[in-house]
């Protein structure tokens, strides 16, 4: 065994100190060293031995004593050993500074600097001191100073091995820090050169030098040479962990199963050799993470964390720990370790993964702001990372920033058109605003999954089903829900094959024991958690299809398997309420409140039911308030309900007090207004405010509000709001617009109530009543009675309307018998209705004043007596009217007979006229023939005669024409002139003879003395024609008569033309 | 089982048609006839399958409107209830009045003849009872009160106990009635004694009918949109059928006992398979509430196929082939 021998001063004896038996207390050995003034190199030997044995404190103690002031005094002439001690101490502090944390780190670096400074003062040119300084600068990342230090040594001795290694290391680190790739490669090449020079300077150097060469080649991309170099290192030093880890990483990077397996094997060997190798620890931890061995991961990473001060390596270690806890579901611990991981790095580019993990954790804790920041860090490094974009989109959606969310998810679909998740998210976001697009996106997601041969997630089918459902496409919705649910007990419920005993049991009993019995009988009732929502939606669909038997069974199956699913109790309560089973409804709501006694929906629902009861309406307010408090004022529905309660209270009949009413109305208005402030589009609040204005008879404001609500509700397929229709109708009624009111009531009845609501029929009847449309009023009330036969108010009203009808008819000044008969019949009906009411009042407390009914009966009887009198009178009047009508009929018949006789006479006259006309035509033709004969005779005479004959022919034609025209005019006159016409005809014949005679004389005479006479005669005839033509000119006529008269004095033949004038006189007559 | 539309008559009455009943074939009349009653205060007679008017003129005087019709099993006489609370019994062929019945002080609503025709039962309206008359001399037989169900909520106005509907079992041993509050009472019709209530409805039971093939099975129609199936003797609810969107106003069972037809305020007529408890067909040709559905009774010369008639507030009558 090794020993050192300390010479004893003044003697030749030596003290032997066995190095493996150094005393635990360094003071003992120091005493000996000092007392004997042992050579300083012995101090160093002992100090190193303590260090090797891991006794760091003793090591430090000896070195510090060895460099103390006393040493300077007693060993002043010893230089090298003193420098060596100081350098060793400096190196020690450099090491401590490297591994310690911030504050301690600085202290150690300062100590190291002081040691090196003291060494320099002893001998400024000592190379080992500069090398020590250089290494300190390397650790402090002051690479330029380090380089300067190493160069000082190399300038003196280019083969100084430690300096060569130091400078090579500096170049390598500079390469790592260099941003530009080319410059970095230059540094790596310089580093490689220096490592090679070091190898040549000291060929039997440790394998670590080849390690440097290997890393340089790796950085320069010379993978094969790098691998060879690493393997060379391992040949020389089989336990070199750095080489093992490097080769392992290169194996892992092949991404082959074999390579990965070999890589992990090397990592494991590295771990076995040196359990504190951080890089190996991190890689092993990563490996065991994926094999699910979390305990091992924890151990490995915690060891890595305690073994390294390297930020990036620690970041990786923290990341592995965080992942392990994350996958185990320990979210809080995972979050802390992710945070620690990101705190170890200066920028996301160094290591981005923990930001992603941290973002996920923060998202889970609903810390949206922090989560958003984390994911945005990931995007700084990877701008098109779809996972981060989707997470950010999700955050925007949760924060209510839907537009940003939609934009973000759209970006994802542009980057990766096959990302079905993004399409699903888009579909869900657009459900409210753009149904068609939402459906398109969801279907795209479904198609992408089908193409990929992947199972379509139940959430997607559920989403599509919901969209169809809200659109009212119930069959399509059902298909989607069925597909989503697949097989299960519910199938037998859907197709009705479930035993009738199950249905019967579920109807008779409120508990779910029949399901338990089914299970005991061997029927499996599995309901996976991820199908519950869809089953609930399917049940909701059955409600809409009015198949509440199946809906109830579904809800109860859910309760049986998941008793805390609170909404199922509320749906069952709603079904019970619709069936007027209020007791069951209240019990079910009670069950829901046992699960969560502050559930706003349950409290609101309970309040609504209580509002309907005379004994419970007061407690409704408490439950509405509790619902409002439970939702911290965010639930507008409960606020609405409180408003409704106040309005309801203001109208309670038993507390009619103006001040009381006003207070409640004011409160109601305040509540409605608050709701509208939070949600401008809340129709129910607007409707409530409209009601309050209407109560104060502010019709125009109320009407405006109701109209807006009515239009908004009409445009929405999700909101069913008959109230606003009724309210508008009330306004029309109040303002006297009865027809509009009738229309609105009727449309509301048909649209929302299948015409079954007797209350609205009552409103309608009232409107007819005010419009004095008695018969419509009556029919409406009878329909209402048919629907609600136990409502005696309706019977009373129909009696009143019949009474009114009768009274109004009797007041008319003129009444038909039928009207009066109807009045009698109606009064008899009214009396019967009132009589029945009167007697029935002994059995029912329907609120009528019996005396009032008796009054109505007496009044109707009175009217009936009057009506009978009127009926008798009307019947007598009718008889008289009949007689008058008969007389008038006889007169009419006589007139008709006369009219026919007249027609016959006219027809006879017409026939006679036609015969006469025919005769005249024949006569004219005969006359014409005679004239022609004369003409032929004349043509044989000399020229002058021929001319005369021609003139005569013309005259004759004119004469005929005149006569003919005259006859036509005569025809238009009455038969009184018929005789005159005959006379004319008679007179014509002599004229013809006259004409004939004139012609004969003319032919007989050849005497020239008579020629002028003929000319005058001709002139006279022409004048006659002229007179006829100019009858409108009396003077001309008179003149022409004078000329005619003159002519007659001159000659006898001239007198004959006067006779045609007589014809003219006849015409005048 | 299936329904097919055969014939519709629009404007069959001047106002809403509220009641329908088949008059069975008789010795002097080989085919069954259909009676309808309406708000226009008339009762009219129709001959299938072309639904030609079978009477010279409608029977008038049913003041305020006809709410229920029933035909005597022998086919000779029929009875009509009107809103003026009179029951008018008349000769089907001549329309002449046979008797005018009333049950003071209360109203009369649904009516039905005993399967052997020996009695006429009437829902007694606000009196909360069933009235019975003999059909020989039209004298009152008795009045059967409806006890209040145990645990029933207090009924201040008494409107809940208004009796709307009544039905005889085919063997004449049971008599059931339905009320506005959903109460159903069952009586021993031989001993004229109350037996028990049938629970399940909480809204008006507007129509009810016993199965022709199982004397204990009672079908009820209610404003709660449901049809319930009870074992009226064992006092148990053995089935429920839902699917109508609004009140179920009328119900009838097919002569073969395999199907139930219902008319509803939702304007539809539905056919239900009794075995599967499912709606197998929905007819939508009416434009307003369907107040009565009635299967033609078996019997009559040359009758091979079933017929179902429905009448509506829209004034129309529809006849379907049932097979």
């Amino acid at each position: 065994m090794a020993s050192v021998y300390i010479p004893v001063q003044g003697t030749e004896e030596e003290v032997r100190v066995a190095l493996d038996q150094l005393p635990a207390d360094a003071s003992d050995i120091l005493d000996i060293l000092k007392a004997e003034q042992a050579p300083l190199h012995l101090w160093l030997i002992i100090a190193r031995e303590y260090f090797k044995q891991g006794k760091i404190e003793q090591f430090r103690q000896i070195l510090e004593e060895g460099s103390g002031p006393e040493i300077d005094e007693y060993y002043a002439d010893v230089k090298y050993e003193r420098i060596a001690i100081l350098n060793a101490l400096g190196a020690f502090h450099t090491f401590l500074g490297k591994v310690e944390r911030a504050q301690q780190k600085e202290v150690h670096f300062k100590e190291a600097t002081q040691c090196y400074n003291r060494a320099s003062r002893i001998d400024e040119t000592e190379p080992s001191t500069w090398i020590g300084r250089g290494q300190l600068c390397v650790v402090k990342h002051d690479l330029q100073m380090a380089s300067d230090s190493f160069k000082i040594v190399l300038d003196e001795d280019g083969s100084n091995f430690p300096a060569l290694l130091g400078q090579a290391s500096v170049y390598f680190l500079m390469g790592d820090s260099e941003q530009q790739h080319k410059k970095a490669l230059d540094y790596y090449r310089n580093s490689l050169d220096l490592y090679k020079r070091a190898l040549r300077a000291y060929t039997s150097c440790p394998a670590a030098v080849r390690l440097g060469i290997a890393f340089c080649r790796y950085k320069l991309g010379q993978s094969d040479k790098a691998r060879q170099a690493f393997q060379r290192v391992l040949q020389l030093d089989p336990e070199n962990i750095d080489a093992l880890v490097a080769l392992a990483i290169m194996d892992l990077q092949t991404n082959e199963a074999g390579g990965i397996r070999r890589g992990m094997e090397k990592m494991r060997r590295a771990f076995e050799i040196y359990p504190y190798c951080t890089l190996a620890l991190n890689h092993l931890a990563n490996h065991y993470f994926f094999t699910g061995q979390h305990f091992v991961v924890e151990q490995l990473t915690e060891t890595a964390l305690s073994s390294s001060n390297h930020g990036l390596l620690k970041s990786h270690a923290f990341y592995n720990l965080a992942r392990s806890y994350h996958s185990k579901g320990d979210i809080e611990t995972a979050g802390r370790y992710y945070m620690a991981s990101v705190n170890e790095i200066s920028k996301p580019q160094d290591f981005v993964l923990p930001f992603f993990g941290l973002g996920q954790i923060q998202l889970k804790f609903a810390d949206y702001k922090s989560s958003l920041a984390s994911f945005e860090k990931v995007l700084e490094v990877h701008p098109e990372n779809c996972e981060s974009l989707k997470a950010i989109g999700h955050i925007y959606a949760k924060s209510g920033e839907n537009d940003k969310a939609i934009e973000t998810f759209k970006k994802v679909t542009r980057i990766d058109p096959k990302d079905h998740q993004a399409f699903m998210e888009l579909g869900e976001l657009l459900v409210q605003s753009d149904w068609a697009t939402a459906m398109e996106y969801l279907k795209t997601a479904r198609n992408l999954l089908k193409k990929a041969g992947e199972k379509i997630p139940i959430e997607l089918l559920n989403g599509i089903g919901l969209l169809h459902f809200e659109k009212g496409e119930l069959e399509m919705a059902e298909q989607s829900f069925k597909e989503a649910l697949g097989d299960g007990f519910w199938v037998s419920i859907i197709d009705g094959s479930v035993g009738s005993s199950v249905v019967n049991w579920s109807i008779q009993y409120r508990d779910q024991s029949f399901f338990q019995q089914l299970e005991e009988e061997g029927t499996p009732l599995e309901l996976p958690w991820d199908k519950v929502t869809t089953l609930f939606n399917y049940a909701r669909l059955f409600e809409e299809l009015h198949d509440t038997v199946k809906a109830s069974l579904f809800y109860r199956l859910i309760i049986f398997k998941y008793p805390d699913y609170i909404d199922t109790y509320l749906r069952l309560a709603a079904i019970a309420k619709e069936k007027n089973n209020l007791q069951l409804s209240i019990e079910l709501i009670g069950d829901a409140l046992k699960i969560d006694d502050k559930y706003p929906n349950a409290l609101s629902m309970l309040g609504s039911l209580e509002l309907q009861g005379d004994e419970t309406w007061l407690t409704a307010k408490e439950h509405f308030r509790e619902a409002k408090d439970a939702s911290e004022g965010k639930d507008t529905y409960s606020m609405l309900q409180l408003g409704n309660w106040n309005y309801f209270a203001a109208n309670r009949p038993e507390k009619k007090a103006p001040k009381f009413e006003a207070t409640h109305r004011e409160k109601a208005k305040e509540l409605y207004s608050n709701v509208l402030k939070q949600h401008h589009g809340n129709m129910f609040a607007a409707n409530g405010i409209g009601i309050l204005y209407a109560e104060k008879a502010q019709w125009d404001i109320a009407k405006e509000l109701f109209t807006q609500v009515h239009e908004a509700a009409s445009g929405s397929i999700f909101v069913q709001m008959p109230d606003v229709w009724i309210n508008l109708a009330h306004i029309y009624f109040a303002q006297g617009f009865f027809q509009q009111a009738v229309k609105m009531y009727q449309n509301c009845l048909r649209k929302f109530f299948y015409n079954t609501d007797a209350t609205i029929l009552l409103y309608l009847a009232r409107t007819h009543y005010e419009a004095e449309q008695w018969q419509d009023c009556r029919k409406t009330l009878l329909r209402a009675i048919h629907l609600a036969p136990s409502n005696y108010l309706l019977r009373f009203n129909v009696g009143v309307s019949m009474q009114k009808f009768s009274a109004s008819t009797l007041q008319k000044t003129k009444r038909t018998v039928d009207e009066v008969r109807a009045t009698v019949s109606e009064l008899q009906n009214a009396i019967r209705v009132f009589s029945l009411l009167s007697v029935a009042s002994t059995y029912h407390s329907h609120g009528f004043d019996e005396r009032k009914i008796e009054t109505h009966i007496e009044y109707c009887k009175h009217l009936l007596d009057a009506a009978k009198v009127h009926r008798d009178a009307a019947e007598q009047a009718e008889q008289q009217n009949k007689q008058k009508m008969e007389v008038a009929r006889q007169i009419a018949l006589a007139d008709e007979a006369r009219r026919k006789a007249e027609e016959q006479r006219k027809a006879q006259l017409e026939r006679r006229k036609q015969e006469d006309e025919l005769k005249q035509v024949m006569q004219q033709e005969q006359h014409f023939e005679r004239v022609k004969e004369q003409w032929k005779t004349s043509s044989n005479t000399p020229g002058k005669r021929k001319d005369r004959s021609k003139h005569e022919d013309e005259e004759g034609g004119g004469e005929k024409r005149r006569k003919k025209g005259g006859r036509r005019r005569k025809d238009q006159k009455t038969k009184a002139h018929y005789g005159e016409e005959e006379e004319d005809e008679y007179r014509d014949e002599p004229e013809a003879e006259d004409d004939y005679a004139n012609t004969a004389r003319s032919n007989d005479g050849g005497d020239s003395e008579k020629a002028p006479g003929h000319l005058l005669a001709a002139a006279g005839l022409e004048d006659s024609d002229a007179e006829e033509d100019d009858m409108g000119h009396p003077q001309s006529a008179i003149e022409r008569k004078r000329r005619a008269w003159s002519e007659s004095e001159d000659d006898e033949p001239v007198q004959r033309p006067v006779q045609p004038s007589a014809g003219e006189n006849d015409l005048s007559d | 089982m299936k329904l097919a539309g055969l014939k519709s008559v629009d404007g069959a009455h001047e106002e809403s048609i509220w009641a329908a009943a088949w008059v069975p074939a008789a010795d002097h009349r080989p085919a069954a006839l259909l009676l309808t009653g309406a708000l226009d205060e008339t009762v009219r007679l129709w001959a299938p399958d072309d639904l030609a008017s079978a009477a010279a003129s409608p029977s008038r005087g049913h003041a305020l409107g006809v709410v229920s019709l029933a035909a005597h099993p022998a086919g000779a006489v029929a009875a009509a209830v009107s809103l003026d609370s009179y029951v008018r019994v008349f000769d089907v062929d001549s329309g002449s009045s046979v008797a005018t019945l009333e049950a003071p002080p209360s109203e009369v609503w649904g009516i039905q003849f005993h399967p052997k025709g020996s009695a006429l039962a009437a829902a007694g309206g606000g009196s909360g009872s069933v009235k019975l008359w003999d059909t020989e001399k039209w004298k009152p037989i008795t009045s059967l009160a409806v006890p209040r169900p145990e645990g029933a909520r207090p009924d201040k106005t008494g409107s809940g106990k208004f009796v709307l509907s009544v039905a005889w079992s085919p063997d004449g041993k049971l008599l059931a009635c339905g009320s506005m509050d959903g109460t159903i009472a069952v009586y021993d019709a031989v001993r004229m004694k109350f037996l028990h209530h049938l629970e399940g409805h909480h809204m008006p039971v507007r129509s009810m009918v016993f199965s022709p093939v199982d004397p204990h099975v009672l079908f009820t129609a209610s404003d709660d949109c449901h049809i319930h199936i009870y074992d009226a003797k064992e006092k148990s609810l053995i089935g429920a059928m839902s699917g109508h969107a609004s009140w179920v106003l009328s119900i009838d069972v097919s002569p073969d006992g395999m199907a139930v037809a219902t008319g509803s305020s939702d304007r539809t007529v539905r056919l239900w398979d009794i075995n599967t408890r499912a709606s197998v067909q929905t007819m939508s040709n009416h434009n307003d509430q369907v107040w009565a559905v009635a299967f033609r009774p078996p019997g009559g010369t040359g009758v091979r196929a079933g017929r179902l008639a429905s009448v509506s507030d829209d004034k129309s009558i529809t006849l379907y082939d049932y097979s």
Side-chain angles (χ1 to χ4, degrees), chain A residues 496 500 503-504 507-508 545-550 577-583 586 614-615 749-751 753-758 778-779 782-783 785-792 795 798 802 826 829 832-833 836 839-840 842-846, chain B residues 15-16 18 39 41 63-64 66-67 83-86 102 105-107 109 126-127 153 156-159 161-162 164 180 200 202-203 206 224 226 228 236-247 265-267 276-277 287-289 291 313:
Chain A
S500 62
V503 176
N504 298 348
I507 289 165
Q508 294 180 35
L545 291 169
H546 308 287
D547 197 339
T548 51
V549 170
K550 288 176 182 166
K577 180 184 177 184
E578 282 297 307
K579 298 170 72 172
N580 205 41
N581 194 345
L582 303 186
Q583 187 57 38
I586 290 175
D614 283 340
E615 302 92 5
L749 267 169
R750 180 165 189 87
K751 180 177 172 66
F753 297 101
Y754 293 105
N755 292 332
T756 61
D757 193 301
R778 175 187 188 272
K779 277 186 287 189
L782 291 175
R783 286 203 177 87
I785 291 171
H786 193 224
L787 290 164
S790 60
N791 185 337
Y792 291 98
R795 292 173 185 270
V798 76
M802 290 190 283
E826 204 73 330
N829 286 333
R832 177 157 177 81
V833 165
L836 287 171
V839 181
T842 56
Y843 288 83
H844 308 286
S845 58
H846 45 54
Chain B
E15 289 294 345
S16 306
W18 286 344
L39 173 58
E41 304 183 341
L64 306 185
V66 179
V67 303
L83 274 175
D84 66 357
S85 302
Y86 283 117
E102 65 176 326
S106 68
E107 312 78 14
W109 212 255
S127 68
R153 304 174 102 193
K156 286 184 176 178
T157 64
S159 62
K161 68 176 182 175
F162 191 104
L164 288 159
M180 283 291 284
H202 296 83
M203 293 174 94
R206 295 192 181 261
D224 63 16
H226 284 69
H228 281 181
S236 62
L237 174 59
I238 60 181
M241 303 183 289
S242 60
H244 274 300
S246 189
W247 304 0
S265 295
D266 69 7
R267 307 168 194 142
T276 62
R277 312 289 160 83
N287 296 324
D288 212 331
Q289 304 181 70
W291 281 102
D313 256 343

Side-chain angles (χ1 to χ4, degrees), chain B residues 100-305:
Chain B
T100 300
L101 314 174
E102 65 176 326
S106 68
E107 312 78 14
V108 178
W109 212 255
I111 51 173
Q112 193 173 92
F113 280 96
H114 183 283
K116 290 188 166 62
S118 59
L120 175 68
S127 68
S129 62
V130 176
K131 311 297 185 181
L132 294 168
W133 290 272
D134 79 275
T135 56
E136 189 175 347
K137 296 184 177 179
W138 304 104
K139 300 293 187 199
I141 296 174
T142 187
S143 174
L144 300 169
V146 178
R148 299 305 301 153
E150 294 173 8
R153 304 174 102 193
D155 190 358
K156 286 184 176 178
T157 64
S159 62
K161 68 176 182 175
F162 191 104
V163 179
L164 288 159
S165 51
V166 69
W168 295 89
S169 63
D171 58 7
K173 294 182 178 177
L174 295 174
L175 181 67
C177 69
S179 303
M180 283 291 284
D181 62 0
T183 300
I184 298 170
V186 181
Y187 301 87
D188 180 330
V190 176
R191 298 186 189 82
M192 294 298 172
K193 179 173 78 99
F194 171 75
L195 289 177
H196 46 247
H197 291 107
L198 299 175
E199 296 177 358
H201 287 305
H202 296 83
M203 293 174 94
V205 179
R206 295 192 181 261
S207 182
M208 50 170 48
V209 64
F210 277 89
S211 165
V213 299
D214 187 340
H216 297 162
V217 174
L218 175 70
F219 297 90
T220 60
S222 170
D223 286 12
D224 63 16
C225 309
H226 284 69
I227 296 105
H228 281 181
I229 311 174
Y230 294 95
D231 183 325
K233 188 172 182 183
E234 296 301 324
K235 198 177 105 174
S236 62
L237 174 59
I238 60 181
M241 303 183 289
S242 60
H244 274 300
S246 189
W247 304 0
V248 189
L249 301 172
S250 52
I251 188 166
D252 199 15
V253 184
S254 61
D256 59 10
M258 302 296 290
V260 167
T262 53
S264 168
S265 295
D266 69 7
R267 307 168 194 142
T268 68
V269 173
R270 282 192 184 230
L271 190 69
W272 307 79
D273 182 327
I274 290 177
N275 287 327
T276 62
R277 312 289 160 83
S279 169
V280 296
Q281 205 169 352
T282 303
M283 313 300 286
S284 305
N285 48 289
H286 282 302
N287 296 324
D288 212 331
Q289 304 181 70
V290 182
W291 281 102
V293 290
F295 280 101
R296 180 170 66 185
T301 306
V303 174
R304 280 184 247 280

Side-chain angles (χ1 to χ4, degrees), chain A residues 807-986:
Chain A
S808 72
T809 304
L810 294 179
Q811 286 165 7
K812 293 165 74 176
T813 53
K814 289 189 176 180
R815 299 170 228 85
T816 67
V817 176
D818 286 341
E819 279 179 334
V820 181
R821 288 198 184 111
T823 303
V824 170
S825 170
E826 204 73 330
L827 282 167
Q828 289 168 335
N829 286 333
I831 291 170
R832 177 157 177 81
V833 165
F834 286 129
S835 299
L836 287 171
L837 278 175
S838 177
V839 181
S841 64
T842 56
Y843 288 83
H844 308 286
S845 58
H846 45 54
F848 294 118
D849 184 343
E850 192 170 335
R851 289 170 299 169
K852 184 186 259 185
I853 295 177
E854 293 297 337
T855 301
H856 277 289
I857 293 174
E858 290 304 319
Y859 182 61
C860 287
K861 287 180 176 176
H862 173 70
L863 286 177
L864 183 57
D865 293 340
K868 285 176 177 174
V869 170
H870 287 300
R871 178 182 62 182
D872 296 341
E875 283 173 349
Q876 289 180 21
E878 189 178 31
Q879 280 296 325
Q880 291 174 7
N881 279 338
K882 283 184 178 178
Q883 291 172 7
K884 286 181 181 178
M885 293 296 291
E886 185 62 21
V887 170
R889 193 176 72 86
Q890 295 295 336
I891 291 171
L893 286 174
D895 288 342
E896 183 70 10
R898 278 195 295 274
R899 188 180 63 78
K900 285 183 179 179
E902 184 69 15
E903 285 175 357
Q904 288 175 1
R905 192 163 57 79
K906 285 181 180 178
Q908 191 177 25
L909 291 177
E910 185 68 21
R911 283 197 298 277
R912 192 173 296 175
K913 286 174 192 173
Q914 289 175 359
E915 290 170 359
D916 292 343
E917 284 182 354
L918 184 61
K919 187 159 64 171
Q920 295 228 4
V921 168
M922 293 176 67
Q923 288 175 356
Q924 288 175 10
E925 286 180 357
Q926 291 172 5
H927 182 64
F928 180 73
E929 291 297 325
R930 285 196 290 272
V931 170
K932 281 171 115 177
E933 289 173 1
Q934 292 173 18
W935 182 76
K936 289 176 182 177
T937 306
S938 298
S939 65
N940 295 329
T941 61
K944 287 185 178 181
R945 288 176 186 154
K946 187 185 281 184
D947 290 343
R948 290 186 197 121
S949 297
K950 193 172 182 180
H951 284 299
E952 287 171 359
D953 287 340
E954 289 179 358
E955 291 167 7
E959 203 170 59
K960 287 172 187 173
R961 280 195 291 273
R962 276 186 279 105
K963 289 173 184 176
K964 193 172 185 181
R967 272 188 223 101
R968 289 196 199 98
R969 282 193 286 272
K970 288 170 188 173
D971 288 343
Q972 293 172 9
K973 293 177 180 176
T974 62
K975 62 183 181 180
H977 302 285
Y978 185 75
E980 294 174 358
E981 188 172 347
E982 289 174 343
E983 291 173 5
D984 289 345
E985 187 172 3
Y986 178 76

